[in-house]
Amino acid sequence: MTRTLASHAGTPTSIRVFAAPDSMRDWSRRVRGAGRCLALVPTMGALHEGHRSLFRAAGEAGDAVAASIFVNPAQFGEGEDFEHYPRQLEADLEICAAEGVEAVYAPARGAVYAPAHSTWIVEEALAAPFEGACRPGHFRGVLTIVLKLFQVVEPDVAVFGQKDLQQALLIRRMVRDLDSPVQIRIAPTIRDADGLALSSRNAYLDADERQRALRLSRALRAAAQRLAAGETDTGRIRQAGRALLEGNGGLDVEYLEVADLETMQTPARVEGPVAIIGAVRVGRTRLIDNVIYPPGALAGLSAGASTS
Ligand code: PAF
């Protein structure tokens, strides 16, 4: 289906919206057959400024940009927010058109998972700690859908956000380990002026919760500042961050940890590039965030395909 929507310049532009894998793949093959480099931004919709920045990064990486919009049931655990996850396809398509996305793959659940689907992608090292420990089965669902999207869209490049750092590193590892030709780019986290990392789940926060949620980015920054000041003891770095999360009006902390960027393991002392990575609950909302130290270290990582 072709939809006509307003482009960035305000002029009408057409965007292709595909629900069926075969029609998506046909379009992609025509685009790539014409010698254009295709960049994909996989999303679950509820698009915001962070996604816009991914579309722009994709526009820099490729000649044509496609997006996918699919709230993937397989990556939500029992009791998580699958049912309530914000769904706003029309508004999302407007954003895609405004950012120059040429095609959107928005399949129904039945087009993605055949009845009795029973094949899954599992990674056994980087996936173990942090999100993998707190959300069993989550990364199995993520890797499976991402590989399926790659099989349908056949992009040359795919762009993911640094906000979901462990996810992005796992996807790079999967691509390397399974010989996928897709190049993976990791684009920087976009934050509100007060530091809160943009997330579709921020929509769940009321004003008081949003204020309290700021503690997460502040805690990560405090830990990174400790590192920048020359501290290498992981316990003291972690404590510099946790001190801001706990205490009066504190958040429910799932983890705030130092992670080696290559292995996602927590070193006793920091000797190479790391992420300070955290997950908290604010009321009923679960938020994650991270900062990289030294800044820019993602670009120099060895595992898998290139980053930006
Ligand atoms: O980061 C997300 O939005 C999702 O995990 C992804 C990569 C689109 C897979 O469903």
Side-chain angles (χ1 to χ4, degrees):
M1 171 178 55
T2 302
R3 298 280 307 275
T4 302
L5 297 151
S7 74
H8 187 55
T11 47
T13 185
S14 51
I15 185 167
R16 304 294 187 100
V17 184
F18 299 108
D22 287 349
S23 46
M24 178 70 236
R25 193 182 287 112
D26 286 349
W27 179 86
S28 161
R29 287 187 179 177
R30 278 200 303 278
V31 166
R32 298 182 67 225
R36 300 173 78 203
C37 171
L38 180 62
L40 171 69
V41 181
T43 82
M44 296 207 299
L47 303 180
H48 50 66
E49 199 54 42
H51 295 104
R52 285 182 187 265
S53 81
L54 299 183
F55 296 145
R56 288 172 203 149
E60 282 163 23
D63 307 309
V65 178
S68 62
I69 298 179
F70 179 65
V71 185
N72 173 32
Q75 68 188 76
F76 289 79
E78 218 169 293
E80 292 189 351
D81 56 345
F82 174 68
E83 299 300 339
H84 303 288
Y85 199 84
R87 288 163 174 86
Q88 45 169 63
L89 185 61
E90 286 308 310
D92 288 345
L93 293 179
E94 304 257 353
I95 291 175
C96 288
E99 293 300 335
V101 173
E102 291 184 34
V104 172
Y105 179 46
R109 184 174 179 158
V112 175
Y113 293 108
H117 173 104
S118 57
T119 305
W120 301 99
I121 303 295
V122 176
E123 193 278 345
E124 296 186 333
L126 304 183
F130 311 126
E131 291 304 282
C134 295
R135 303 182 67 191
H138 169 65
F139 284 133
R140 180 183 89 144
V142 170
L143 293 182
T144 303
I145 190 64
V146 169
L147 192 64
K148 284 167 75 61
L149 292 169
F150 288 178
Q151 300 279 75
V152 170
V153 181
E154 299 181 342
D156 298 290
V157 182
V159 182
F160 296 87
Q162 186 201 310
K163 214 260 304 161
D164 295 297
L165 177 69
Q166 194 178 6
Q167 162 178 287
L169 296 177
L170 266 171
I171 291 167
R172 292 173 73 235
R173 177 63 62 92
M174 170 183 77
V175 157
R176 187 199 68 173
D177 288 353
L178 299 184
D179 303 315
S180 163
V182 181
Q183 282 184 45
I184 304 301
R185 303 286 171 104
I186 305 178
T189 303
I190 303 299
R191 300 178 181 281
D192 276 334
D194 56 12
L196 186 69
L198 297 194
S199 161
S200 303
R201 290 190 167 98
N202 292 354
Y204 300 149
L205 300 170
D206 64 28
D208 172 61
E209 289 171 339
R210 198 195 168 291
Q211 197 54 33
R212 289 167 54 217
L214 289 177
R215 283 186 178 210
L216 176 55
S217 56
R218 287 180 187 149
L220 298 172
R221 273 205 311 276
Q225 275 158 9
R226 195 69 182 255
L227 248 170
E231 181 64 76
T232 59
D233 179 84
T234 298
R236 286 200 280 266
I237 295 162
R238 180 193 306 120
Q239 197 40 43
R242 285 197 76 114
L244 286 185
L245 290 180
E246 288 155 0
N248 201 10
L251 304 178
D252 185 359
V253 185
E254 289 195 359
Y255 58 83
L256 184 134
E257 211 25 287
V258 179
D260 181 286
L261 266 188
E262 297 274 3
T263 64
M264 283 282 106
Q265 295 301 307
T266 299
R269 299 200 86 80
V270 175
E271 282 163 358
V274 290
I276 323 280
I277 184 164
V280 297
R281 281 182 192 277
V282 194
R284 294 162 66 91
T285 307
R286 186 172 186 279
L287 299 174
I288 62 173
D289 195 0
N290 66 83
V291 296
I292 306 281
Y293 189 85
L298 265 181
L301 279 191
S302 65
S306 63
T307 58
S308 69

